[in-house]
Structures are given as structure tokens and as C-alpha cells.
Amino acid sequence: MNLLIKPRKDSQELVHVTPESAAWGYVSFSVYQLPAGETLTFTEDAKELCAMILTGTVSAEAEGQQWKEIGERKSVFADAAPYAVYVPPRTKLTVTAKTDTELALGGAPAKGGLPVRLIEPADMRRLSRGQGTNVRHVCEILPEGQPAESLLIFEVKTPSSHSSSYPPHKHDVDNLPAESLLEETYYHRINPSQGFIFQRVYTDSRDIDESMAVEDRDVVLVPRGYHPVVVPHGYESYYLNVMAGPKRIWRFQNDPAHDWIVSGN
């Protein structure tokens, strides 16, 4: 199973993940690089979509609503949350880049019924998790408390020499309230961009056990298993998580071998 997806850096669509390509059931994910003036249109018959302006400025239109010149970040490492637009199935979203733009698109199964809406930076909670060299900084783009049918979306920035998604945790069993089943993509950015980070995806049985040197704009698939990230000295890490599963609830279990890190035992 190949869990590491390399970008097509000479293409408008940098990465493209579908349930078919990932051999799973829920998450779709793409990233686009748009020069100023370029327009893209998206629509899905059976999926909700969330378009995230990672960098740059765009104008967007959906279901008669227009948002002009949204997005203000020049880098995903800026101390700011992104703008995002949510659209239900059977709804056309048109995005026009006003400056050079990096745009991410997450999708997951939905029946429809929720309205189109702009998600502004002020609507996104930002917080820090962990202690010591396990501290990382989270932006909740589309968490459980915000309306959606399947999608859960977060950004995480991890400082140099820190670990993240750690202790290793998993969410691959539909066993609520203890654990939920969620597929997940990690879209990685690295500063400076010539660097790399490490990510391991492994299960208790080790039928999946891949340790990857991850470079800028790579995507890591997490169909199941634990999935920690470690950042080498001198570089900082950003990743965008898109999750979905049969229930829109994020509950996880730490690897028992490493749970002492947070339990104090």
C-alpha cells in the first residue's frame, strides 16, 4: 500500500486523492496552484465540498452569493487562519484567483440540506496542544461544532524539533464513544521548503507499517492506524488534515505503549 503521494509541481492540480485512488470510502482531497486571473469551477452530485484558500486572494461565487477578494495569507506559516467556503452537493462553486493562489479542496459524502456559507478566520478557533517539544498549534477550520455532514478539517503548525499527532493515536474503529472511524489525509508544507519531516503510519498488527521522509507538498494517506509526525531541527511543519467517516465525530485512542507520555504513568 503506497501511503505517500508526491505532488505534480508542474501541474495546476498538485495532488488529487479520491476514494477510488486511495481504496477507501469517504475522503476526497485536491490542491491547486492558480495564477492570478485563473478560474476554477467545482461541483459534486453526492459530496459536500470545502474550499480553503491556503495562500493568496480569490473571489468566489456559489448559489447566488458572492465573496470578493477573500484570503490574505502570503504563507501557510503566517500567524493567521485561512478563509474557506462550504458548499453542499449539487452546488456549483466558482473561484477566481486575484493573486497567485494555493487552494485546497476537501470532499466527503453528503445528502445535502446545509446552506452555502463563507467560513471566515474569525469563525475558526485556534489553540495549542501538548507540552514541551510536543507543543503544536491547531486551527479548527471545520470542527464538529460547525455545520457539515461528513467533513472534519484542521490545520496544524509544528515548530522545529517538535513532534505532532503525538503520542501516536488512531481513529479507525467505529466504537463510539471511545473511538470513531475516520479516514484522513495529511497535506504537508515545510519551511524552508527544501526540508523534510518524518511520518509513520502503523497498526497494532503491523499489517501497515510505513515510515516516510515527507517533503514539501506531499500528501500522506491514513486509512487506519497510528500516524505521528516528527520535525527535524531547523525546519517547521504545516499540515492540513481532512477527515471523514461513517459518523462525524473525532474520538481517538493513543497507542498504549506510548500513552504514558500524557497519562503521567
PDB file of all heavy atoms in Angstrom, residues 65-82:
ATOM      1  N   GLN A  65     -24.514  33.732  -4.101  1.00  0.00           N
ATOM      2  CA  GLN A  65     -23.716  34.510  -3.147  1.00  0.00           C
ATOM      3  C   GLN A  65     -22.336  34.772  -3.738  1.00  0.00           C
ATOM      4  O   GLN A  65     -21.746  33.905  -4.391  1.00  0.00           O
ATOM      5  CB  GLN A  65     -23.585  33.777  -1.820  1.00  0.00           C
ATOM      6  CG  GLN A  65     -24.907  33.516  -1.122  1.00  0.00           C
ATOM      7  CD  GLN A  65     -24.705  32.977   0.277  1.00  0.00           C
ATOM      8  OE1 GLN A  65     -24.048  33.593   1.109  1.00  0.00           O
ATOM      9  NE2 GLN A  65     -25.281  31.816   0.550  1.00  0.00           N
ATOM     10  N   GLN A  66     -21.830  35.971  -3.479  1.00  0.00           N
ATOM     11  CA  GLN A  66     -20.517  36.355  -3.985  1.00  0.00           C
ATOM     12  C   GLN A  66     -19.656  36.883  -2.839  1.00  0.00           C
ATOM     13  O   GLN A  66     -20.136  37.604  -1.964  1.00  0.00           O
ATOM     14  CB  GLN A  66     -20.648  37.434  -5.058  1.00  0.00           C
ATOM     15  CG  GLN A  66     -21.367  36.971  -6.315  1.00  0.00           C
ATOM     16  CD  GLN A  66     -21.405  38.061  -7.375  1.00  0.00           C
ATOM     17  OE1 GLN A  66     -21.288  39.253  -7.082  1.00  0.00           O
ATOM     18  NE2 GLN A  66     -21.573  37.663  -8.626  1.00  0.00           N
ATOM     19  N   TRP A  67     -18.390  36.495  -2.870  1.00  0.00           N
ATOM     20  CA  TRP A  67     -17.423  36.997  -1.890  1.00  0.00           C
ATOM     21  C   TRP A  67     -16.209  37.494  -2.671  1.00  0.00           C
ATOM     22  O   TRP A  67     -15.560  36.717  -3.368  1.00  0.00           O
ATOM     23  CB  TRP A  67     -17.017  35.894  -0.921  1.00  0.00           C
ATOM     24  CG  TRP A  67     -18.199  35.291  -0.216  1.00  0.00           C
ATOM     25  CD1 TRP A  67     -18.877  35.787   0.853  1.00  0.00           C
ATOM     26  CD2 TRP A  67     -18.849  34.050  -0.537  1.00  0.00           C
ATOM     27  NE1 TRP A  67     -19.890  34.954   1.219  1.00  0.00           N
ATOM     28  CE2 TRP A  67     -19.909  33.873   0.388  1.00  0.00           C
ATOM     29  CE3 TRP A  67     -18.640  33.071  -1.509  1.00  0.00           C
ATOM     30  CZ2 TRP A  67     -20.737  32.765   0.368  1.00  0.00           C
ATOM     31  CZ3 TRP A  67     -19.470  31.970  -1.546  1.00  0.00           C
ATOM     32  CH2 TRP A  67     -20.504  31.820  -0.610  1.00  0.00           C
ATOM     33  N   LYS A  68     -15.939  38.764  -2.552  1.00  0.00           N
ATOM     34  CA  LYS A  68     -14.869  39.368  -3.334  1.00  0.00           C
ATOM     35  C   LYS A  68     -13.607  39.521  -2.490  1.00  0.00           C
ATOM     36  O   LYS A  68     -13.653  39.965  -1.345  1.00  0.00           O
ATOM     37  CB  LYS A  68     -15.313  40.729  -3.876  1.00  0.00           C
ATOM     38  CG  LYS A  68     -16.449  40.617  -4.897  1.00  0.00           C
ATOM     39  CD  LYS A  68     -16.772  41.955  -5.534  1.00  0.00           C
ATOM     40  CE  LYS A  68     -17.850  41.807  -6.610  1.00  0.00           C
ATOM     41  NZ  LYS A  68     -18.177  43.096  -7.262  1.00  0.00           N
ATOM     42  N   GLU A  69     -12.499  39.107  -3.095  1.00  0.00           N
ATOM     43  CA  GLU A  69     -11.154  39.277  -2.538  1.00  0.00           C
ATOM     44  C   GLU A  69     -11.074  38.768  -1.108  1.00  0.00           C
ATOM     45  O   GLU A  69     -10.785  39.501  -0.163  1.00  0.00           O
ATOM     46  CB  GLU A  69     -10.723  40.745  -2.651  1.00  0.00           C
ATOM     47  CG  GLU A  69     -10.649  41.201  -4.095  1.00  0.00           C
ATOM     48  CD  GLU A  69      -9.950  42.522  -4.286  1.00  0.00           C
ATOM     49  OE1 GLU A  69      -9.468  43.103  -3.296  1.00  0.00           O
ATOM     50  OE2 GLU A  69      -9.892  42.978  -5.438  1.00  0.00           O
ATOM     51  N   ILE A  70     -11.318  37.471  -0.958  1.00  0.00           N
ATOM     52  CA  ILE A  70     -11.145  36.806   0.325  1.00  0.00           C
ATOM     53  C   ILE A  70      -9.815  36.056   0.319  1.00  0.00           C
ATOM     54  O   ILE A  70      -9.352  35.580  -0.711  1.00  0.00           O
ATOM     55  CB  ILE A  70     -12.307  35.851   0.632  1.00  0.00           C
ATOM     56  CG1 ILE A  70     -12.493  34.823  -0.495  1.00  0.00           C
ATOM     57  CG2 ILE A  70     -13.598  36.633   0.851  1.00  0.00           C
ATOM     58  CD1 ILE A  70     -13.538  33.759  -0.209  1.00  0.00           C
ATOM     59  N   GLY A  71      -9.227  35.940   1.487  1.00  0.00           N
ATOM     60  CA  GLY A  71      -7.903  35.334   1.593  1.00  0.00           C
ATOM     61  C   GLY A  71      -6.856  36.411   1.690  1.00  0.00           C
ATOM     62  O   GLY A  71      -6.861  37.369   0.900  1.00  0.00           O
ATOM     63  N   GLU A  72      -5.965  36.254   2.636  1.00  0.00           N
ATOM     64  CA  GLU A  72      -4.969  37.310   2.861  1.00  0.00           C
ATOM     65  C   GLU A  72      -3.591  36.762   3.211  1.00  0.00           C
ATOM     66  O   GLU A  72      -2.624  37.517   3.295  1.00  0.00           O
ATOM     67  CB  GLU A  72      -5.446  38.225   3.990  1.00  0.00           C
ATOM     68  CG  GLU A  72      -5.785  37.476   5.258  1.00  0.00           C
ATOM     69  CD  GLU A  72      -6.545  38.307   6.278  1.00  0.00           C
ATOM     70  OE1 GLU A  72      -7.158  39.312   5.888  1.00  0.00           O
ATOM     71  OE2 GLU A  72      -6.524  37.940   7.448  1.00  0.00           O
ATOM     72  N   ARG A  73      -3.466  35.441   3.388  1.00  0.00           N
ATOM     73  CA  ARG A  73      -2.177  34.896   3.801  1.00  0.00           C
ATOM     74  C   ARG A  73      -1.219  34.814   2.615  1.00  0.00           C
ATOM     75  O   ARG A  73      -1.608  34.403   1.524  1.00  0.00           O
ATOM     76  CB  ARG A  73      -2.332  33.494   4.397  1.00  0.00           C
ATOM     77  CG  ARG A  73      -3.158  33.451   5.656  1.00  0.00           C
ATOM     78  CD  ARG A  73      -2.986  32.154   6.434  1.00  0.00           C
ATOM     79  NE  ARG A  73      -3.262  30.953   5.674  1.00  0.00           N
ATOM     80  CZ  ARG A  73      -3.422  29.741   6.216  1.00  0.00           C
ATOM     81  NH1 ARG A  73      -3.348  29.612   7.533  1.00  0.00           N
ATOM     82  NH2 ARG A  73      -3.667  28.692   5.476  1.00  0.00           N
ATOM     83  N   LYS A  74       0.010  35.181   2.875  1.00  0.00           N
ATOM     84  CA  LYS A  74       1.068  35.006   1.882  1.00  0.00           C
ATOM     85  C   LYS A  74       1.789  33.680   2.078  1.00  0.00           C
ATOM     86  O   LYS A  74       2.502  33.216   1.198  1.00  0.00           O
ATOM     87  CB  LYS A  74       2.046  36.168   1.937  1.00  0.00           C
ATOM     88  CG  LYS A  74       1.449  37.498   1.488  1.00  0.00           C
ATOM     89  CD  LYS A  74       2.479  38.612   1.526  1.00  0.00           C
ATOM     90  CE  LYS A  74       1.932  39.897   0.895  1.00  0.00           C
ATOM     91  NZ  LYS A  74       0.710  40.374   1.548  1.00  0.00           N
ATOM     92  N   SER A  75       1.609  33.077   3.253  1.00  0.00           N
ATOM     93  CA  SER A  75       2.239  31.799   3.573  1.00  0.00           C
ATOM     94  C   SER A  75       1.334  31.043   4.530  1.00  0.00           C
ATOM     95  O   SER A  75       0.657  31.645   5.375  1.00  0.00           O
ATOM     96  CB  SER A  75       3.610  32.026   4.227  1.00  0.00           C
ATOM     97  OG  SER A  75       4.101  30.828   4.808  1.00  0.00           O
ATOM     98  N   VAL A  76       1.328  29.712   4.429  1.00  0.00           N
ATOM     99  CA  VAL A  76       0.573  28.923   5.395  1.00  0.00           C
ATOM    100  C   VAL A  76       1.194  29.013   6.786  1.00  0.00           C
ATOM    101  O   VAL A  76       0.544  28.670   7.784  1.00  0.00           O
ATOM    102  CB  VAL A  76       0.473  27.443   4.968  1.00  0.00           C
ATOM    103  CG1 VAL A  76      -0.345  27.298   3.697  1.00  0.00           C
ATOM    104  CG2 VAL A  76       1.854  26.808   4.799  1.00  0.00           C
ATOM    105  N   PHE A  77       2.439  29.497   6.869  1.00  0.00           N
ATOM    106  CA  PHE A  77       3.103  29.646   8.158  1.00  0.00           C
ATOM    107  C   PHE A  77       2.828  31.001   8.817  1.00  0.00           C
ATOM    108  O   PHE A  77       3.309  31.268   9.913  1.00  0.00           O
ATOM    109  CB  PHE A  77       4.610  29.424   8.002  1.00  0.00           C
ATOM    110  CG  PHE A  77       4.948  28.008   7.640  1.00  0.00           C
ATOM    111  CD1 PHE A  77       5.145  27.639   6.319  1.00  0.00           C
ATOM    112  CD2 PHE A  77       5.041  27.030   8.621  1.00  0.00           C
ATOM    113  CE1 PHE A  77       5.439  26.326   5.976  1.00  0.00           C
ATOM    114  CE2 PHE A  77       5.331  25.716   8.293  1.00  0.00           C
ATOM    115  CZ  PHE A  77       5.534  25.362   6.962  1.00  0.00           C
ATOM    116  N   ALA A  78       2.049  31.863   8.157  1.00  0.00           N
ATOM    117  CA  ALA A  78       1.671  33.138   8.740  1.00  0.00           C
ATOM    118  C   ALA A  78       0.825  32.916   9.993  1.00  0.00           C
ATOM    119  O   ALA A  78       0.122  31.906  10.120  1.00  0.00           O
ATOM    120  CB  ALA A  78       0.897  33.976   7.730  1.00  0.00           C
ATOM    121  N   ASP A  79       0.865  33.868  10.900  1.00  0.00           N
ATOM    122  CA  ASP A  79       0.103  33.774  12.143  1.00  0.00           C
ATOM    123  C   ASP A  79      -1.334  34.215  11.875  1.00  0.00           C
ATOM    124  O   ASP A  79      -1.787  35.259  12.344  1.00  0.00           O
ATOM    125  CB  ASP A  79       0.755  34.649  13.216  1.00  0.00           C
ATOM    126  CG  ASP A  79       0.070  34.499  14.574  1.00  0.00           C
ATOM    127  OD1 ASP A  79      -0.651  33.510  14.782  1.00  0.00           O
ATOM    128  OD2 ASP A  79       0.263  35.401  15.429  1.00  0.00           O
ATOM    129  N   ALA A  80      -2.050  33.406  11.101  1.00  0.00           N
ATOM    130  CA  ALA A  80      -3.417  33.751  10.691  1.00  0.00           C
ATOM    131  C   ALA A  80      -4.124  32.489  10.233  1.00  0.00           C
ATOM    132  O   ALA A  80      -3.496  31.543   9.750  1.00  0.00           O
ATOM    133  CB  ALA A  80      -3.396  34.785   9.565  1.00  0.00           C
ATOM    134  N   ALA A  81      -5.445  32.486  10.388  1.00  0.00           N
ATOM    135  CA  ALA A  81      -6.266  31.396   9.881  1.00  0.00           C
ATOM    136  C   ALA A  81      -6.639  31.668   8.423  1.00  0.00           C
ATOM    137  O   ALA A  81      -6.600  32.811   7.966  1.00  0.00           O
ATOM    138  CB  ALA A  81      -7.528  31.250  10.737  1.00  0.00           C
ATOM    139  N   PRO A  82      -7.038  30.637   7.675  1.00  0.00           N
ATOM    140  CA  PRO A  82      -7.424  30.836   6.275  1.00  0.00           C
ATOM    141  C   PRO A  82      -8.891  31.238   6.154  1.00  0.00           C
ATOM    142  O   PRO A  82      -9.641  31.239   7.130  1.00  0.00           O
ATOM    143  CB  PRO A  82      -7.210  29.452   5.675  1.00  0.00           C
ATOM    144  CG  PRO A  82      -7.578  28.529   6.799  1.00  0.00           C
ATOM    145  CD  PRO A  82      -7.080  29.213   8.062  1.00  0.00           C
TER     146      PRO A  82
END
